[in-house]
mmCIF file of all heavy atoms in Angstrom:
data_model
loop_
_atom_site.group_PDB
_atom_site.id
_atom_site.type_symbol
_atom_site.label_atom_id
_atom_site.label_comp_id
_atom_site.label_asym_id
_atom_site.label_seq_id
_atom_site.Cartn_x
_atom_site.Cartn_y
_atom_site.Cartn_z
ATOM 1 N N GLN B 166 1.021 19.837 10.754
ATOM 2 C CA GLN B 166 0.253 18.783 10.059
ATOM 3 C C GLN B 166 -1.106 18.579 10.776
ATOM 4 O O GLN B 166 -2.135 18.510 10.116
ATOM 5 C CB GLN B 166 1.068 17.458 10.109
ATOM 6 C CG GLN B 166 0.550 16.388 9.118
ATOM 7 C CD GLN B 166 -0.694 15.691 9.548
ATOM 8 O OE1 GLN B 166 -0.916 15.377 10.715
ATOM 9 N NE2 GLN B 166 -1.639 15.471 8.554
ATOM 10 N N VAL B 167 -1.082 18.620 12.085
ATOM 11 C CA VAL B 167 -2.334 18.460 12.830
ATOM 12 C C VAL B 167 -3.305 19.606 12.529
ATOM 13 O O VAL B 167 -4.490 19.426 12.417
ATOM 14 C CB VAL B 167 -2.082 18.338 14.367
ATOM 15 C CG1 VAL B 167 -3.392 18.319 15.148
ATOM 16 C CG2 VAL B 167 -1.304 17.017 14.647
ATOM 17 N N LEU B 168 -2.732 20.786 12.369
ATOM 18 C CA LEU B 168 -3.546 21.953 12.068
ATOM 19 C C LEU B 168 -3.904 22.045 10.581
ATOM 20 O O LEU B 168 -4.687 22.869 10.223
ATOM 21 C CB LEU B 168 -2.798 23.223 12.506
ATOM 22 C CG LEU B 168 -2.772 23.497 14.001
ATOM 23 C CD1 LEU B 168 -1.712 24.534 14.358
ATOM 24 C CD2 LEU B 168 -4.139 23.932 14.468
ATOM 25 N N ASN B 169 -3.241 21.241 9.749
ATOM 26 C CA ASN B 169 -3.434 21.289 8.255
ATOM 27 C C ASN B 169 -3.283 22.741 7.750
ATOM 28 O O ASN B 169 -4.010 23.208 6.948
ATOM 29 C CB ASN B 169 -4.866 20.828 7.937
ATOM 30 C CG ASN B 169 -4.901 19.325 7.668
ATOM 31 O OD1 ASN B 169 -5.845 18.873 7.037
ATOM 32 N ND2 ASN B 169 -3.865 18.567 8.025
ATOM 33 N N ASN B 170 -2.285 23.431 8.298
ATOM 34 C CA ASN B 170 -2.193 24.854 7.941
ATOM 35 C C ASN B 170 -1.229 25.099 6.784
ATOM 36 O O ASN B 170 -0.816 24.176 6.137
ATOM 37 C CB ASN B 170 -1.787 25.677 9.181
ATOM 38 C CG ASN B 170 -0.448 25.308 9.700
ATOM 39 O OD1 ASN B 170 0.391 24.677 9.076
ATOM 40 N ND2 ASN B 170 -0.164 25.697 10.915
ATOM 41 N N ARG B 171 -0.926 26.360 6.519
ATOM 42 C CA ARG B 171 -0.073 26.750 5.372
ATOM 43 C C ARG B 171 1.256 26.020 5.407
ATOM 44 O O ARG B 171 1.878 25.804 4.380
ATOM 45 C CB ARG B 171 0.143 28.262 5.392
ATOM 46 C CG ARG B 171 -0.987 29.088 4.901
ATOM 47 C CD ARG B 171 -0.511 30.580 4.861
ATOM 48 N NE ARG B 171 -0.234 31.077 6.219
ATOM 49 C CZ ARG B 171 -1.116 31.558 7.105
ATOM 50 N NH1 ARG B 171 -2.387 31.627 6.713
ATOM 51 N NH2 ARG B 171 -0.772 32.068 8.229
ATOM 52 N N ARG B 172 1.794 25.762 6.627
ATOM 53 C CA ARG B 172 3.132 25.251 6.743
ATOM 54 C C ARG B 172 3.077 23.696 6.731
ATOM 55 O O ARG B 172 4.137 23.029 6.842
ATOM 56 C CB ARG B 172 3.735 25.728 8.030
ATOM 57 C CG ARG B 172 5.253 25.748 8.056
ATOM 58 C CD ARG B 172 5.773 26.251 9.449
ATOM 59 N NE ARG B 172 7.153 26.097 9.554
ATOM 60 C CZ ARG B 172 7.812 24.949 9.810
ATOM 61 N NH1 ARG B 172 7.081 23.839 9.898
ATOM 62 N NH2 ARG B 172 9.137 24.907 9.937
ATOM 63 N N ASP B 173 1.933 23.094 6.609
ATOM 64 C CA ASP B 173 1.847 21.641 6.612
ATOM 65 C C ASP B 173 2.462 21.110 5.298
ATOM 66 O O ASP B 173 2.031 21.433 4.212
ATOM 67 C CB ASP B 173 0.281 21.254 6.635
ATOM 68 C CG ASP B 173 0.038 19.765 6.413
ATOM 69 O OD1 ASP B 173 0.985 18.926 6.534
ATOM 70 O OD2 ASP B 173 -1.152 19.437 6.147
ATOM 71 N N ARG B 174 3.517 20.298 5.492
ATOM 72 C CA ARG B 174 4.178 19.760 4.331
ATOM 73 C C ARG B 174 3.330 18.858 3.463
ATOM 74 O O ARG B 174 3.586 18.612 2.278
ATOM 75 C CB ARG B 174 5.497 18.989 4.778
ATOM 76 C CG ARG B 174 6.668 19.867 5.100
ATOM 77 C CD ARG B 174 7.859 18.989 5.442
ATOM 78 N NE ARG B 174 7.566 18.096 6.588
ATOM 79 C CZ ARG B 174 7.372 16.789 6.487
ATOM 80 N NH1 ARG B 174 7.431 16.189 5.292
ATOM 81 N NH2 ARG B 174 7.070 16.070 7.559
ATOM 82 N N LEU B 175 2.276 18.338 4.074
ATOM 83 C CA LEU B 175 1.379 17.427 3.362
ATOM 84 C C LEU B 175 0.287 18.194 2.644
ATOM 85 O O LEU B 175 -0.681 17.639 2.152
ATOM 86 C CB LEU B 175 0.821 16.278 4.272
ATOM 87 C CG LEU B 175 1.878 15.577 5.075
ATOM 88 C CD1 LEU B 175 1.262 14.421 5.807
ATOM 89 C CD2 LEU B 175 3.044 15.073 4.265
ATOM 90 N N LYS B 176 0.419 19.534 2.649
ATOM 91 C CA LYS B 176 -0.436 20.420 1.927
ATOM 92 C C LYS B 176 -1.916 20.287 2.254
ATOM 93 O O LYS B 176 -2.795 20.422 1.402
ATOM 94 C CB LYS B 176 -0.232 20.204 0.427
ATOM 95 C CG LYS B 176 1.250 20.320 0.033
ATOM 96 C CD LYS B 176 1.564 19.966 -1.427
ATOM 97 C CE LYS B 176 3.054 19.843 -1.609
ATOM 98 N NZ LYS B 176 3.439 19.523 -2.988
ATOM 99 N N GLY B 177 -2.223 19.922 3.546
ATOM 100 C CA GLY B 177 -3.600 19.860 3.942
ATOM 101 C C GLY B 177 -4.349 18.663 3.409
ATOM 102 O O GLY B 177 -5.574 18.595 3.436
ATOM 103 N N ARG B 178 -3.627 17.681 2.891
ATOM 104 C CA ARG B 178 -4.332 16.571 2.239
ATOM 105 C C ARG B 178 -4.715 15.457 3.168
ATOM 106 O O ARG B 178 -5.552 14.600 2.873
ATOM 107 C CB ARG B 178 -3.433 15.960 1.113
ATOM 108 C CG ARG B 178 -3.236 16.918 -0.048
ATOM 109 C CD ARG B 178 -2.248 16.321 -1.000
ATOM 110 N NE ARG B 178 -1.918 17.354 -2.062
ATOM 111 C CZ ARG B 178 -0.832 17.330 -2.677
ATOM 112 N NH1 ARG B 178 0.074 16.416 -2.489
ATOM 113 N NH2 ARG B 178 -0.577 18.241 -3.583
ATOM 114 N N GLN B 179 -4.000 15.368 4.283
ATOM 115 C CA GLN B 179 -4.177 14.227 5.147
ATOM 116 C C GLN B 179 -4.831 14.588 6.481
ATOM 117 O O GLN B 179 -4.620 15.659 7.007
ATOM 118 C CB GLN B 179 -2.748 13.623 5.538
ATOM 119 C CG GLN B 179 -2.259 12.658 4.481
ATOM 120 C CD GLN B 179 -2.782 11.237 4.825
ATOM 121 O OE1 GLN B 179 -3.942 11.042 5.040
ATOM 122 N NE2 GLN B 179 -1.917 10.253 4.824
ATOM 123 N N LEU B 180 -5.643 13.709 7.005
ATOM 124 C CA LEU B 180 -6.228 13.802 8.323
ATOM 125 C C LEU B 180 -5.148 14.022 9.357
ATOM 126 O O LEU B 180 -4.062 13.475 9.185
ATOM 127 C CB LEU B 180 -6.963 12.500 8.598
ATOM 128 C CG LEU B 180 -8.073 12.423 9.647
ATOM 129 C CD1 LEU B 180 -9.223 13.310 9.185
ATOM 130 C CD2 LEU B 180 -8.525 10.984 9.752
ATOM 131 N N PRO B 181 -5.433 14.808 10.362
ATOM 132 C CA PRO B 181 -4.420 15.038 11.439
ATOM 133 C C PRO B 181 -3.915 13.673 11.973
ATOM 134 O O PRO B 181 -4.613 12.726 12.047
ATOM 135 C CB PRO B 181 -5.202 15.739 12.538
ATOM 136 C CG PRO B 181 -6.274 16.486 11.779
ATOM 137 C CD PRO B 181 -6.672 15.645 10.607
ATOM 138 N N VAL B 182 -2.648 13.718 12.344
ATOM 139 C CA VAL B 182 -1.838 12.632 12.852
ATOM 140 C C VAL B 182 -1.289 11.615 11.792
ATOM 141 O O VAL B 182 -0.515 10.726 12.113
ATOM 142 C CB VAL B 182 -2.426 11.753 14.066
ATOM 143 C CG1 VAL B 182 -3.005 12.670 15.108
ATOM 144 C CG2 VAL B 182 -3.436 10.734 13.554
ATOM 145 N N MET B 183 -1.731 11.817 10.537
ATOM 146 C CA MET B 183 -1.236 10.926 9.453
ATOM 147 C C MET B 183 0.100 11.535 8.951
ATOM 148 O O MET B 183 0.187 11.884 7.758
ATOM 149 C CB MET B 183 -2.257 10.788 8.399
ATOM 150 C CG MET B 183 -3.626 10.326 8.825
ATOM 151 S SD MET B 183 -3.633 8.551 9.272
ATOM 152 C CE MET B 183 -5.339 8.336 9.604
ATOM 153 N N TYR B 184 1.082 11.572 9.824
ATOM 154 C CA TYR B 184 2.333 12.218 9.479
ATOM 155 C C TYR B 184 3.114 11.464 8.393
ATOM 156 O O TYR B 184 2.836 10.265 8.158
ATOM 157 C CB TYR B 184 3.238 12.293 10.713
ATOM 158 C CG TYR B 184 2.640 12.842 11.987
ATOM 159 C CD1 TYR B 184 2.246 12.011 13.064
ATOM 160 C CD2 TYR B 184 2.388 14.221 12.114
ATOM 161 C CE1 TYR B 184 1.681 12.602 14.222
ATOM 162 C CE2 TYR B 184 1.805 14.761 13.231
ATOM 163 C CZ TYR B 184 1.477 13.914 14.322
ATOM 164 O OH TYR B 184 0.947 14.400 15.446
ATOM 165 N N SER B 185 4.110 12.165 7.855
ATOM 166 C CA SER B 185 4.968 11.542 6.878
ATOM 167 C C SER B 185 6.294 12.365 6.887
ATOM 168 O O SER B 185 6.226 13.566 6.917
ATOM 169 C CB SER B 185 4.371 11.643 5.475
ATOM 170 O OG SER B 185 5.289 11.234 4.475
ATOM 171 N N SER B 186 7.426 11.620 6.976
ATOM 172 C CA SER B 186 8.675 12.360 6.841
ATOM 173 C C SER B 186 9.767 11.539 6.291
ATOM 174 O O SER B 186 10.260 10.579 6.956
ATOM 175 C CB SER B 186 9.100 12.819 8.289
ATOM 176 O OG SER B 186 10.384 13.396 8.194
ATOM 177 N N ARG B 187 10.180 11.864 5.142
ATOM 178 C CA ARG B 187 11.264 11.207 4.488
ATOM 179 C C ARG B 187 12.569 11.496 5.245
ATOM 180 O O ARG B 187 13.380 10.599 5.466
ATOM 181 C CB ARG B 187 11.415 11.638 3.035
ATOM 182 C CG ARG B 187 12.502 10.922 2.240
ATOM 183 C CD ARG B 187 12.476 11.259 0.765
ATOM 184 N NE ARG B 187 11.748 10.231 0.040
ATOM 185 C CZ ARG B 187 12.194 9.038 -0.227
ATOM 186 N NH1 ARG B 187 13.362 8.601 0.232
ATOM 187 N NH2 ARG B 187 11.458 8.136 -0.975
ATOM 188 N N ALA B 188 12.698 12.717 5.652
ATOM 189 C CA ALA B 188 13.905 13.116 6.364
ATOM 190 C C ALA B 188 14.102 12.280 7.661
ATOM 191 O O ALA B 188 15.258 11.996 7.999
ATOM 192 C CB ALA B 188 13.897 14.626 6.688
ATOM 193 N N SER B 189 13.023 11.968 8.352
ATOM 194 C CA SER B 189 13.198 11.156 9.564
ATOM 195 C C SER B 189 12.978 9.707 9.322
ATOM 196 O O SER B 189 12.850 8.904 10.273
ATOM 197 C CB SER B 189 12.155 11.704 10.612
ATOM 198 O OG SER B 189 12.452 12.985 11.032
ATOM 199 N N ASN B 190 13.006 9.323 8.030
ATOM 200 C CA ASN B 190 12.763 7.872 7.692
ATOM 201 C C ASN B 190 11.513 7.297 8.354
ATOM 202 O O ASN B 190 11.524 6.213 8.930
ATOM 203 C CB ASN B 190 14.001 7.001 8.019
ATOM 204 C CG ASN B 190 15.135 7.301 7.015
ATOM 205 O OD1 ASN B 190 14.867 7.497 5.872
ATOM 206 N ND2 ASN B 190 16.323 7.341 7.542
#
Side-chain angles (χ1 to χ4, degrees):
Chain B
Q166 196 283 321
V167 172
L168 285 165
N169 269 197
N170 64 16
R171 283 184 297 274
R172 203 180 173 285
D173 172 15
R174 281 182 301 105
L175 309 186
K176 307 175 192 180
R178 293 175 188 155
Q179 273 275 48
L180 202 63
V182 314
M183 304 287 183
Y184 309 108
S185 172
S186 173
R187 183 170 265 288
S189 292
N190 287 322

